[in-house]
Amino acid sequence: MLIRKLRILNTIEETTIREVDFHMGANFVIDLEESEKHNKVGKTTFLKLIDVALGAKDRDFIYSDPETNSIVPQLEHFLTSNKVAIEMNICDNLESPKISHLLYVELFKKGKYRIDGEIINQSAYRENLNEIFFKNGRKAPSFRQLINSFVRISMSGDNNTFLRNIPHASKSIYRGVYNYLFSISDPAIDMERNELKKELTATENAEKQYKRIQGAQTSEEIAQIITALKNERKALQKKLDDIVSSDDFKKNREKISEVRKEYAELTNALSNVEYKRKKNKQMINEVENQSKHKVDADLT
């Protein structure tokens, strides 16, 4: 699909603020005014409008700069007070189009989205663009992931950095995008492979952790350790069976509990008797000490 025309509309007065026609080949946005700065016609804003028409999430980026955290209040007021909207006509061929669509986005807060006159939400707007531009009816790869491969690519140096155009994306997302764009594989298979790769990584990490704890290095060594533990368990069980019968132990379990309870009561009674014995002995010692004291006759 190609951009045929872009219009900036004042929906309050129902007038066209600006209309730009596109042609085949390269389209340059330049400043023709005789000024020192050459930055007064809104070239960057114009590119932002195209991005918004292509489903950019935050429309307030038109009058704000996320890097400097600053806004242009005059532009924000102008967009809101005049209920400004953009209308972009796209088609398959600029000379003799057979397929064309009209994209419409209102730039003020809570503004509406339309495709060919039908009002839809932003999510549906992107899904429709995915079908229109890439004939992709699936949610993966998304339209914004795919369109970033064609819009605002910065090719700096002879490396693959120009391919990385999706913020905070993993390699699996890039693989899905480019595999779809170049018809290499099915995105559903890419997604399934990504999930399987995650499971494989988790399993490998768990295996490494187990080997580290057990001190084993191979699966054969782990199998040998398990076999040795099973044999040791059997030997211990045999020794225990020689000492006491497990069947008799189960039958006498209630009796054992009663004996343990009786033993605890006797232990408590014995402790009480021992306490009383110590107290009595202490009292006898005190009486004996007092009996040793003699009366001083002279003092009396």
Side-chain angles (χ1 to χ4, degrees):
M1 301 300 290
L2 304 171
I3 301 176
R4 188 176 189 182
K5 180 181 295 186
L6 180 71
R7 296 172 64 206
I8 306 173
L9 308 173
N10 182 332
T11 61
I12 296 295
E13 299 179 357
E14 296 184 354
T15 58
T16 299
I17 300 174
R18 190 73 177 268
E19 183 173 323
V20 179
D21 293 312
F22 290 79
H23 56 77
M24 292 298 297
N27 291 260
F28 293 93
V29 182
I30 60 176
D31 183 358
L32 295 178
E33 292 185 356
E34 295 182 359
S35 62
E36 295 180 356
K37 295 183 178 180
H38 294 280
N39 193 28
K40 296 183 178 180
V41 295
K43 298 185 294 294
T44 302
T45 303
F46 178 72
L47 295 177
K48 287 182 178 180
L49 292 177
I50 295 177
D51 196 24
V52 169
L54 294 176
K57 183 178 180 180
D58 298 312
R59 288 171 286 188
D60 56 358
F61 282 170
I62 296 173
Y63 51 83
S64 65
D65 187 347
E67 293 184 358
T68 61
N69 197 26
S70 61
I71 64 172
V72 182
Q74 297 88 347
L75 181 55
E76 180 184 12
H77 176 72
F78 178 82
L79 296 177
T80 304
S81 60
N82 293 282
K83 301 294 182 183
V84 177
I86 53 172
E87 186 181 78
M88 190 165 75
N89 179 251
I90 58 175
C91 60
D92 60 340
N93 189 297
L94 296 182
E95 302 298 332
S96 54
K98 294 182 180 180
I99 302 174
S100 64
H101 296 278
L102 193 63
L103 310 180
Y104 178 93
V105 181
E106 295 174 344
L107 303 180
F108 46 91
K109 292 182 179 179
K110 298 183 180 180
K112 297 181 177 61
Y113 289 82
R114 291 189 178 94
I115 295 182
D116 297 330
E118 181 182 356
I119 299 176
I120 53 179
N121 59 39
Q122 188 186 59
S123 177
Y125 183 84
R126 292 183 178 184
E127 292 176 5
N128 277 267
L129 291 182
N130 210 359
E131 179 68 34
I132 291 171
F133 278 81
F134 302 106
K135 300 187 184 304
N136 181 19
R138 302 184 180 95
K139 292 184 178 181
S142 69
F143 173 72
R144 292 297 296 182
Q145 291 173 344
L146 292 172
I147 199 64
N148 277 338
S149 300
F150 300 93
V151 178
R152 296 186 185 184
I153 295 178
S154 175
M155 298 179 62
S156 57
D158 188 15
N159 52 46
N160 64 354
T161 55
F162 74 97
L163 295 173
R164 299 181 178 277
N165 50 71
I166 307 171
H168 311 296
S170 62
K171 290 182 179 179
S172 60
I173 292 179
Y174 282 110
R175 184 182 295 111
V177 169
Y178 290 114
N179 284 349
Y180 180 83
L181 291 176
F182 299 108
S183 301
I184 297 174
S185 64
D186 188 341
I189 297 177
D190 291 326
M191 294 177 64
E192 183 179 0
R193 179 173 61 179
N194 184 44
E195 293 300 321
L196 291 175
K197 187 175 181 180
K198 289 181 180 179
E199 294 179 7
L200 178 60
T201 301
T203 303
E204 290 176 346
N205 291 335
E207 183 182 7
K208 291 179 181 178
Q209 182 74 0
Y210 182 82
K211 288 180 179 180
R212 185 183 66 81
I213 295 174
Q214 296 294 334
Q217 300 299 323
T218 63
S219 58
E220 289 78 8
E221 290 179 348
I222 296 174
Q224 292 176 4
I225 292 174
I226 293 174
T227 302
L229 290 174
K230 287 181 178 179
N231 293 334
E232 185 178 354
R233 178 181 178 277
K234 290 180 181 179
L236 291 174
Q237 185 64 47
K238 185 178 180 180
K239 292 180 180 179
L240 184 62
D241 291 340
D242 292 340
I243 296 173
V244 60
S245 172
S246 59
D247 294 334
D248 293 341
F249 178 79
K250 291 178 181 179
K251 293 178 181 179
N252 297 326
R253 183 173 295 173
E254 294 182 1
K255 182 63 177 179
I256 291 172
S257 298
E258 294 177 0
V259 171
R260 285 178 176 173
K261 183 179 179 181
E262 184 178 354
Y263 174 77
E265 292 176 351
L266 291 174
T267 301
N268 292 333
L270 183 62
S271 298
N272 291 333
V273 171
E274 180 66 20
Y275 173 75
K276 291 179 180 180
R277 186 186 69 80
K278 289 182 178 180
K279 291 295 290 182
N280 291 336
K281 187 175 180 180
Q282 182 180 358
M283 293 174 63
I284 292 171
N285 290 335
E286 290 178 356
V287 171
E288 288 178 348
N289 290 332
Q290 290 177 3
S291 63
K292 293 178 181 179
H293 296 165
K294 296 181 180 180
V295 179
D296 189 341
D298 296 336
L299 178 60
T300 303

